[in-house]
Amino acid sequence: MGSWKRLRQNRSEYTRRLSLVVLGSAILTFGIHNIHEVVGITEGGVIGALLLANHWFGIPSSIVSPILDLLCYAFALRLLGVGFLGWSVVSSAAIAGFYALWEHLPYLLPNLSSLPFVAAVLGGIFVGVGAGLVVRGGGSAGGDDALALSIQKLSGWRLSRCYLVTDLSVLVLSLSYIPVTKIVFSLITVFISSPLIDVIVGFSSSENETEAEPA
């Protein structure tokens, strides 16, 4: 009976985590494809690199996304272990799959190019909620998560500083095709998405601690 109960619990936990990763991937890629790529507001990290490659080389995000993620995961493998990377590979596949889906459909939101502040806020919400759900499920919303954690491991810096380094590096490169005024809106997106990720992941941690308390 004990083994059967553990099996059911493990299956339930696996289903919960997979659902979070898939839902988060759908929300994240929907916002990036229908807002960021249309308006020209970029993100930092790997997400920003996807938009950079899409603009300069016309390479679909569904192709660039898994390539960049795998490069970052390969760098992080020895530092972070197989467990984290296992779920990250699942989330990377889900993200690439949803990018492919959205790219075969017409844009599903109004063009917000004339309302860049609204686009920055909505884009930040989509990215924050989507990435937060993926991380809550145990994966990563892109290779930049693995890269930032690896930098933290090697440098001893705070994780927020590691994310800032990768985000600002990509935003500086993005000045090659995005005006400074739009980079300002990109910063708004970053400053909205990052706290949202913390809120969602933090809520998950508090919920787990509550469930773990004895009755």
Side-chain angles (χ1 to χ4, degrees):
M1 289 294 292
S3 299
W4 174 247
K5 184 177 181 180
R6 282 194 299 272
L7 179 61
R8 290 182 59 187
Q9 289 175 340
N10 290 340
R11 182 180 296 176
S12 175
E13 176 65 10
Y14 176 83
T15 302
R16 183 189 71 84
R17 296 178 69 175
L18 182 61
S19 299
L20 288 172
V21 167
V22 171
L23 177 61
S25 299
I27 293 172
L28 172 68
T29 55
F30 181 88
I32 293 172
H33 180 71
N34 288 282
I35 298 177
H36 290 69
E37 291 183 4
V38 174
V39 180
I41 293 177
T42 189
E43 271 272 350
V46 170
I47 294 174
L50 298 181
L51 299 176
L52 193 67
N54 181 266
H55 175 85
W56 280 117
F57 305 107
I59 305 174
S61 298
S62 56
I63 295 175
V64 182
S65 174
I67 292 175
L68 289 179
D69 284 346
L70 287 174
L71 288 174
C72 292
Y73 295 152
F75 176 71
L77 180 60
R78 293 182 63 183
L79 295 171
L80 302 178
V82 178
F84 170 80
L85 295 182
W87 275 104
S88 296
V89 170
V90 173
S91 60
S92 180
I95 287 171
F98 278 111
Y99 272 133
L101 173 62
W102 306 136
E103 286 165 359
H104 283 84
L105 296 174
Y107 290 114
L108 300 175
L109 291 177
N111 189 330
L112 298 173
S113 298
S114 61
L115 300 169
F117 179 77
V118 174
V121 172
L122 287 179
I125 291 172
F126 272 105
V127 170
V129 172
L133 288 173
V134 171
V135 174
R136 182 175 170 179
S140 67
D144 48 347
D145 292 339
L147 183 60
L149 288 167
S150 299
I151 294 173
Q152 181 194 39
K153 189 92 171 179
L154 292 171
S155 65
W157 292 347
R158 295 183 60 180
L159 187 58
S160 57
R161 184 179 179 184
C162 299
Y163 275 110
L164 187 61
V165 167
T166 57
D167 287 346
L168 290 181
S169 298
V170 173
L171 289 177
V172 168
L173 290 174
S174 299
L175 285 171
S176 62
Y177 77 100
I178 296 178
V180 174
T181 51
K182 284 197 174 183
I183 289 294
V184 171
F185 293 114
S186 297
L187 289 173
I188 292 173
T189 295
V190 169
F191 284 122
I192 289 175
S193 61
S194 297
L196 266 178
I197 294 173
D198 285 339
V199 168
I200 292 173
V201 175
F203 174 79
S204 174
S205 299
S206 300
E207 188 180 61
N208 290 339
E209 288 174 5
T210 302
E211 289 176 354
E213 291 178 359

